Amino acid sequence: MRIEFISPCRDSLSWTQARLRIGSAADNDLVLAVGQAAPRHLLFESDARGWVLWVVPGAPHVYVNARPVRELALLRPGDVVSLGDCRLLLCADEAPDRRRLPQAVADQAHCTVALRAVAGPMSGKVVAVHEYLELGPRGRYPLELPRGESATLRIGWRDGRLTLAVLEPSARHGLRVNGNLVTDVVLQSGDQIGIGMHRFVVAAPGIKPEPEPVMPPPPAPPATAPSHAGTAWLIVTAAVLALGIALLFLVRF
């Protein structure tokens, strides 16, 4: 996981451990200013569910995508965690344009795809994509941004894959997928699209990741040819056995 600081501005933090302790005390993994956090404020923990945010009892309220969290919350790349005047953007370790492409969908008309708004003015709405969907001034759903700005995004099918492209960019608000800046990218189910205060999660159960290539097993090593010494020993053993059998016949008859 990588954490970018929306405010205040400071270098991003990469974290690979199973736990991340956040607070103003010096022994935290991520130390914030006293005015931003309690000495022990948050704990990020990785388990079978993914990343889980735990609020330390007694710590001031925490917000995930502008929604208050009192005890715990499941996190996904692209979420914004706020405490005090500090805002943290959670980013996936792998950028969307560098991961394996999902399998192409042969029958796009029967592949159910929807956007679930989890933050922003459209929060709670589920929007079907169908053949394509435009978000922005020219589309059915405007994307209002601070300071009167707007942007236009298009989600649609290209060569059997669901893609996201910026038709009209915003000067101040970049488009992000799972926290990483993008302009044109192939989407997968579970991706989080973010621009300004808007957050959408892609729900596309019919889109499956490309299977990992199956490597053929290495060829078996050739059988080791017996050495000359081993061959001679076999010949001697066979001769001794033959001689013993002949002696038995002579004694018997």
Side-chain angles (χ1 to χ4, degrees), residues 105 107-115 126-130 157 162 189 202-207:
V105 177
D107 190 357
Q108 303 162 14
H110 292 83
C111 183
T112 302
V113 178
L115 296 186
V126 177
V127 182
V129 172
H130 300 302
W157 296 95
L162 189 68
S189 187
V202 179
I207 299 178

Side-chain angles (χ1 to χ4, degrees), residues 25-47:
D27 58 349
N28 286 288
D29 302 305
L30 175 56
V31 179
L32 301 178
V34 174
Q36 296 171 339
R40 304 283 185 272
H41 205 124
L42 291 181
L43 173 67
F44 290 171
E45 189 171 28
S46 178
D47 61 18

Side-chain angles (χ1 to χ4, degrees), residues 48-225:
R49 297 169 291 180
W51 281 99
V52 183
L53 178 151
W54 297 90
V55 180
V56 176
H61 291 319
V62 177
Y63 297 85
V64 175
N65 297 332
R67 294 188 175 188
V69 177
R70 297 184 181 275
E71 294 183 6
L72 67 89
L74 296 179
L75 300 173
R76 70 171 69 242
D79 284 341
V80 175
V81 178
S82 304
L83 57 160
D85 60 354
C86 181
R87 294 197 297 157
L88 311 173
L89 173 64
L90 308 185
C91 304
D93 293 322
E94 185 179 39
D97 56 352
R98 296 185 179 180
R99 64 189 177 185
R100 294 182 59 84
L101 293 178
Q103 290 179 309
V105 177
D107 190 357
Q108 303 162 14
H110 292 83
C111 183
T112 302
V113 178
L115 296 186
R116 180 168 55 90
V118 296
M122 295 175 58
S123 183
K125 290 185 177 180
V126 177
V127 182
V129 172
H130 300 302
E131 183 179 354
Y132 73 92
L133 173 68
E134 280 193 6
L135 302 173
R138 301 187 307 181
R140 182 178 176 185
Y141 302 97
L143 283 179
E144 293 131 358
L145 299 173
R147 301 182 183 179
E149 289 198 29
S150 64
T152 301
L153 312 178
R154 180 186 175 95
I155 300 173
W157 296 95
R158 186 192 311 157
D159 299 328
R161 292 185 172 92
L162 189 68
T163 61
L164 168 66
V166 180
L167 301 185
E168 296 176 355
S170 166
R172 294 185 178 88
H173 305 280
L175 174 64
R176 293 178 180 265
V177 172
N178 300 334
N180 293 291
L181 288 169
V182 298
T183 54
D184 192 336
V185 69
V186 175
L187 294 173
Q188 296 182 6
S189 187
D191 283 344
Q192 182 168 187
I193 302 169
I195 182 169
M197 75 289 283
H198 300 277
R199 295 286 183 279
F200 304 94
V201 175
V202 179
I207 299 178
K208 300 179 180 180
E210 190 78 22
E212 293 288 339
V214 178
M215 302 299 294
T224 305

